Amino acid sequence: MEVDTDNITLLKKGDVKSFEFFYRAYCDRVYAFALSILKDKTDAKEVVQETFLRLWLYRDKLDSGLSIQAYIFSIAKNQAITIIRKRRNQFCNDIQGEELTDETHEQVIFNDLEKRIMEIVDLLPDRRKEIFLLSRRDGLLPKEIALQLGLSVQTVHNQISSALTFIREHVNEDLMMIVFIILFS
C-alpha cells in the first residue's frame, strides 16, 4: 500500500514512471474486465486506452488515501458503458432506421428482457420455478415463501440461488449487454 501511495503522489506530479507502474500493474486486468463485458477485443483495447488516458489527464484529482484500483476500474466501467450505449444506439438505428425516444427504447428493451427471462424461467424444475416466481414476481420474502410452501428458509434461499445461477448460465451475450445497459444507465 505504501508503494501505491508513493506512486500516486508521484503520478499526481506528472511522473511518467509512476504512470507506467500503474499501467503495467492494471493494464491486463482492465483488458480482461472490459473483454468480459464487451466480448470484443477491439472494444476492450479501446477501454484500456481510454482508461489510462483519463488516469493521466485527471491525475491531479487522485486522492492518495483512496484505492487507485477502484478508481481505475470505475473509469473502465464507465468507458465500457459508453461503448455499450453506442452499440445500442447503432443497433436501434439499424433496425428501425430512425431514432427511438429513450423511453420507448427502454420499454422495448425491458419487454424483450422480460420475455427472454421468462422463457428461461420456464425451463426451471417446477418447484424451483414456483419459489423463484413467488420471490421475484410476487415479491415474497424467503421466510414468507418457506411458510407458504412448508419449506425451510435455507431451502428457499438455495432454490432462489440455483434459479439465478441457471438463468445466468442460459442468458446469451446480447441479453447480458441489455441487462448491463439497464443496470448502469
Side-chain angles (χ1 to χ4, degrees):
M1 186 62 110
E2 186 176 317
V3 173
D4 278 355
T5 304
D6 291 343
N7 279 314
I8 291 171
T9 303
L10 291 170
L11 177 60
K12 285 178 72 166
K13 294 177 182 176
D15 183 69
V16 175
K17 290 198 183 294
S18 293
F19 175 79
E20 289 172 357
F21 170 81
F22 289 118
Y23 181 82
R24 283 191 308 275
Y26 292 102
C27 174
D28 291 341
R29 291 166 50 193
V30 168
Y31 176 79
F33 171 74
L35 187 60
S36 72
I37 294 168
L38 300 170
K39 309 297 187 215
D40 182 89
K41 291 178 181 180
T42 303
D43 287 343
K45 288 176 185 176
E46 182 180 334
V47 167
V48 171
Q49 289 174 341
E50 286 297 318
T51 298
F52 287 98
L53 174 63
R54 289 185 182 337
L55 176 64
W56 179 255
L57 292 175
Y58 301 109
R59 65 188 178 276
D60 58 323
K61 297 187 182 344
L62 288 171
D63 182 347
S64 300
L66 297 179
S67 166
I68 192 153
Q69 177 177 322
Y71 183 74
I72 288 171
F73 280 92
S74 176
I75 295 170
K77 178 189 79 169
N78 291 333
Q79 292 306 308
I81 290 170
T82 299
I83 290 172
I84 289 170
R85 285 185 179 141
K86 286 179 188 174
R87 283 183 186 172
R88 174 187 70 181
N89 290 338
Q90 184 61 45
F91 176 76
C92 288
N93 290 339
D94 290 348
I95 295 293
Q96 300 198 332
E98 60 185 52
E99 225 174 288
L100 295 173
T101 65
D102 284 342
E103 187 175 311
T104 304
H105 185 262
E106 288 174 7
Q107 189 61 45
V108 168
I109 290 173
F110 179 78
N111 290 343
D112 185 45
L113 174 64
E114 186 175 46
K115 178 183 171 207
R116 291 166 84 178
I117 288 178
M118 286 311 298
E119 289 170 358
I120 295 168
V121 168
D122 285 339
L123 299 174
L124 292 169
D126 291 339
R127 187 60 146 190
R128 186 172 297 152
K129 177 181 172 182
E130 179 183 18
I131 292 168
F132 181 79
L133 291 175
L134 287 171
S135 169
R136 296 309 193 258
R137 183 190 60 204
D138 299 341
L140 296 180
L141 298 172
K143 184 177 181 179
E144 296 168 323
I145 297 169
L147 286 172
Q148 183 175 334
L149 299 178
L151 302 170
S152 73
V153 175
Q154 186 60 48
T155 298
V156 171
H157 280 293
N158 292 345
Q159 290 296 316
I160 292 171
S161 177
S162 294
L164 290 171
T165 299
F166 180 84
I167 291 167
R168 267 192 301 271
E169 289 171 353
H170 288 81
V171 171
N172 66 29
E173 292 175 9
D174 294 335
L175 186 56
M176 283 306 293
M177 186 170 71
I178 292 169
V179 170
F180 192 79
I181 291 168
I182 289 171
L183 292 177
F184 295 106
S185 291

